[in-house]
C-alpha cells in the first residue's frame, strides 16, 4: 500500500458497528471477529431488538449486524423499527436456514435490511478465514450506503397497478419491436426488493421466460423463490437441471450451481467453480444467453457489489440483445450495473419502474 494511502487510512475514523445477537457466545465471537480489523470499532452490543433500538438512538452506529430470533423483539421487528425511526445500514447475520428463519430474513430485507450473510464458521474450521473476510468486507461496504427512512407499512403509497403502466413506453423505438425469447436478470446486494418490484408488476400472461441469478446466502434460495412467488402473478420456481423454460414463468438459479441455457430454452446446471467469486455467477449465465439467444434476449443487471455480469452484458449487447443496467439513483450498491455502464455494455440505464414499463411494452410485441 502506498504511504499516502496508509496515511489516509490512519486518519479515517473507524466504522462504528453495533452487534445485535442474543447468544452471549456468538456475540462474543462476532465482537472478536470484528476487533481483528482496524477499520471497524464495535461501539455497542445488544441482546434483543429493544436494546438494539435504544443503542441506535443513543450511540448512532454507522452499520448494524442483526440477529433474527431474539426475545422481546425479533430481528424483523427491530429492523422495521430502526428503518422507520433511525435509518441505519443493517446486515442480517444468521446460521439457520429453517423455514421460519428464511421467512423472517426475507421480511427483514423487505423492511430495509441491505444484505443477509451466513454467520462465519468457527475458528479452526477450514472455511473460517474466507467466511470471516466476506462478512467483514460486507459490513465495511454496507456502512457506506446512504439509507433512507422507511415509512410504516400502512403509510406506504400503493404501487401502480399493472394496467396503469403505459402500453408502449416512450423508451421503446420501432427498432426495438422484435421477437424476444428470454429475459436474463443478474442481481446482488439490494436486489431482492427490486426483483420483487419488477416481477409483481409484470402481467400474469407475460409471454417471455425469465431466468434470474441472485447472489444470496447459502440455504436461502428456496425461501427467496417462495417469497417472490407470493408477490408475483405468474409462477416463480427454483431452476433444476434440464428445466425447459416456459412463458409466464420465472426461474431462479439455485446456490452452488452455474447455469447455462441452450437454444431450446433448456437450463443446464453444473457443480462448477465460482466465477467472480460467485456460484451461481451472472457472468456464466449471461455468456451462455449471448451464445444461445443472440439478439432475441434481454439482459438486465441490477444493484450489487463487484462486477459480476458486467463484461458479459457487453457480450449480449454485441450479439444484438437489449441490455439494461439499473441506474445509480435506485441502486443500493451501483457496483455491478455501474461497471456495465462504464464498459458501454448497457443500451438502457433505467430505474425499476422504467424497467417494468419497458418489459411490459416489449412483451406486447413478442
Amino acid at each position: 500500500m502506498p504511504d499516502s494511502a496508509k496515511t489516509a487510512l490512519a486518519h479515517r475514523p473507524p466504522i462504528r458497528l453495533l452487534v445485535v445477537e442474543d447468544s452471549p457466545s456468538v456475540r462474543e465471537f462476532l465482537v472478536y471477529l470484528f476487533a481483528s480489523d482496524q477499520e471497524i470499532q464495535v461501539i455497542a452490543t445488544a441482546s434483543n431488538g429493544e436494546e438494539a433500538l435504544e443503542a441506535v438512538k443513543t450511540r448512532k452506529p454507522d452499520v448494524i449486524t442483526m440477529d433474527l430470533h431474539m426475545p422481546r423483539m425479533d430481528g424483523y421487528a427491530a429492523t422495521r423499527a430502526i428503518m422507520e425511526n433511525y435509518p441505519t445500514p443493517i446486515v442480517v447475520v444468521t446460521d439457520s436456514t429453517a423455514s421460519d428463519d428464511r421467512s423472517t430474513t426475507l421480511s427483514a430485507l423487505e423492511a430495509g435490511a441491505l444484505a443477509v450473510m451466513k454467520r462465519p464458521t468457527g475458528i479452526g474450521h477450514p472455511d473460517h478465514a474466507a467466511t470471516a473476510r466476506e462478512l467483514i468486507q460486507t459490513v465495511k461496504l454496507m456502512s457506506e450506503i446512504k439509507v433512507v427512512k422507511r415509512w410504516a407499512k400502512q403509510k406506504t403509497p400503493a404501487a401502480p397497478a399493472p394496467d396503469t403502466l403505459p402500453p408502449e413506453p416512450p423508451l421503446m423505438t420501432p427498432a426495438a419491436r422484435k421477437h424476444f425469447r428470454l429475459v436474463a436478470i443478474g442481481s446482488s446486494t439490494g436486489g431482492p426488493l427490486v426483483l420483487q418490484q419488477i416481477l409483481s408488476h409484470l402481467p400474469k400472461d407475460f409471454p417471455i421466460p425469465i431466468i434470474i441469478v441472485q447472489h444470496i446466502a447459502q440455504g436461502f434460495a428456496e425461501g427467496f423463490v417462495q417469497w417472490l412467488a407470493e408477490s408475483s402473478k405468474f409462477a416463480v420456481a427454483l431452476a433444476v437441471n434440464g428445466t425447459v423454460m416456459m412463458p409466464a414463468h420465472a426461474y431462479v438459479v439455485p446456490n452452488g450451481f452455474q447455469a447455462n441455457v441452450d437454444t431450446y430454452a433448456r437450463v443446464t446446471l453444473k457443480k462448477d467453480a465460482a466465477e467472480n467469486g460467485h456460484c451461481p455467477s451472472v457472468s456464466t449465465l449471461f455468456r451462455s444467453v449471448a451464445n444461445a439467444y443472440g439478439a432475441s434476449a434481454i439482459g438486465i443487471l441490477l444493484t450489487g457489489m463487484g462486477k459480476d455480469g458486467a463484461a458479459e452484458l457487453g457480450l449480449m449487447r454485441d450479439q444484438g440483445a437489449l441490455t439494461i443496467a439499473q441506474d445509480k439513483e435506485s441502486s443500493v450498491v451501483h457496483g455491478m450495473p455501474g461497471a456495465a455502464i462504464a464498459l458501454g455494455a448497457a443500451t438502457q440505464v433505467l430505474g425499476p419502474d422504467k424497467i417494468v414499463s419497458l418489459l411490459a411494452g416489449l412483451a406486447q410485441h413478442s
Side-chain angles (χ1 to χ4, degrees), residues 246-270:
M246 303 291 290
H249 286 68
Y251 304 90
V252 176
V253 180
N255 281 325
F257 293 90
Q258 299 291 13
N260 290 272
V261 297
D262 63 21
T263 55
Y264 302 101
R266 187 170 49 211
V267 181
T268 300
L269 300 179
K270 291 184 178 179

Side-chain angles (χ1 to χ4, degrees), residues 41-160:
Q41 178 187 6
V42 178
I43 59 165
T45 62
S47 61
N48 60 65
E50 290 181 359
E51 290 181 4
L53 192 59
E54 181 62 25
V56 173
K57 178 182 176 181
T58 58
R59 303 301 302 273
K60 297 180 173 55
D62 298 317
V63 62
I64 302 164
T65 60
M66 181 66 69
D67 188 15
L68 286 175
H69 290 292
M70 298 178 291
R72 298 168 64 178
M73 180 186 286
D74 66 13
Y76 162 65
T79 296
R80 184 177 61 184
I82 290 168
M83 296 308 296
E84 288 176 4
N85 295 282
Y86 315 103
T88 307
I90 295 173
V91 178
V92 173
V93 179
T94 179
D95 191 40
S96 175
T97 58
S99 58
D100 288 347
D101 285 354
R102 289 199 302 258
S103 175
T104 303
T105 301
L106 293 166
S107 295
L109 289 174
E110 196 167 11
L114 296 179
V116 53
M117 301 291 296
K118 288 280 286 183
R119 185 188 306 152
T121 54
I123 298 171
H125 190 283
D127 294 332
H128 170 73
T131 56
R133 183 169 56 250
E134 184 180 12
L135 176 59
I136 289 171
Q137 290 175 343
T138 299
V139 165
K140 287 181 178 179
L141 182 60
M142 294 303 101
S143 72
E144 300 175 0
I145 304 302
K146 303 301 180 185
V147 294
V148 297
K149 179 176 285 191
R150 293 292 185 98
W151 297 106
K153 196 165 186 179
Q154 63 270 23
K155 297 179 182 177
T156 303

